[in-house]
Structure formats: C-alpha cells, structure tokens
Amino acid sequence: MDAHTFYVKGSALNRQGASALLNPEFPTLKAEMESAIKLVGAENDRAKTRGKPLYCAPAKPDMTADQLLAEFRRIPQERRRKITVRQAWREIAIRRFPC
C-alpha cells in the first residue's frame, strides 16, 4: 500500500474514534503498519550488527494514532503517493528516534 493511501484511510478512521475498531478497513491498516514496523525493525537489527543502527527507539515506543498520522502528514503528499508504508515508516523511525 502506498503511504498516501494509508494516510488518507487512517485519517478517516481516526476521525471515527473508538468506532473505527469496527470498520472493515481497520484490520487491513493495522496489518500494513505492523508489517512495516516488523520489516523496518529487522532492517534496523541488521544495521545494528554492523554498528550503524538506522534509529534508536526505546524498547517499547509509544506513539498514538494522532502522532503517527502527523508523522505521515510531514511527508509531502506527492512523495507519499510514491512510497510504501514501509518506506514511510523507515523515514519516520529515523526522524523520530535518532541515535
């Protein structure tokens, strides 16, 4: 999924509040983000073994939906349309959790 589609759908769900959990789009977006976090985390682990981690997140990073969407919003729309959620998360993690 491209990052812009994720951002638009995620923003719409976020506006629904708690009822977003009942929206059929929710599991898809959740799985997309979980996959991106897992894959970028593995990439970071490989970089750590070389002594150059991509980012240094706390053991359990705490980010709300509002904060996550704000980070996606920081990526220009045209660029969000061209990158995947994984690529966007990599950029966000590096920016948000510098070493």
Side-chain angles (χ1 to χ4, degrees):
M1 178 182 299
D2 69 74
H4 184 69
T5 300
F6 179 89
Y7 171 73
V8 170
K9 289 181 177 190
S11 295
L13 283 177
N14 197 42
R15 286 190 296 275
Q16 293 178 12
S19 65
L21 298 173
L22 303 174
N23 188 304
E25 289 280 351
F26 181 78
T28 303
L29 294 180
K30 181 180 177 192
E32 186 75 27
M33 194 68 227
E34 287 173 346
S35 175
I37 290 169
K38 181 180 176 181
L39 292 169
V40 173
E43 186 181 346
N44 192 44
D45 289 343
R46 288 189 301 275
K48 280 182 194 175
T49 63
R50 294 188 303 271
K52 294 187 176 194
L54 302 173
Y55 59 90
C56 296
K60 200 158 192 195
D62 189 21
M63 190 180 297
T64 67
D66 288 334
Q67 291 169 329
L68 179 64
L69 291 169
E71 291 292 343
F72 269 81
R73 191 170 37 254
R74 288 182 64 181
I75 301 169
Q77 180 178 337
E78 185 163 320
R79 204 156 150 269
R80 275 196 317 256
R81 291 181 185 277
K82 296 178 184 176
I83 63 174
T84 65
V85 172
R86 177 184 178 182
Q87 291 167 316
W89 175 247
R90 184 180 194 275
E91 181 179 318
I92 291 165
I94 291 169
R95 179 176 58 235
R96 187 150 175 118
F97 308 114
C99 292

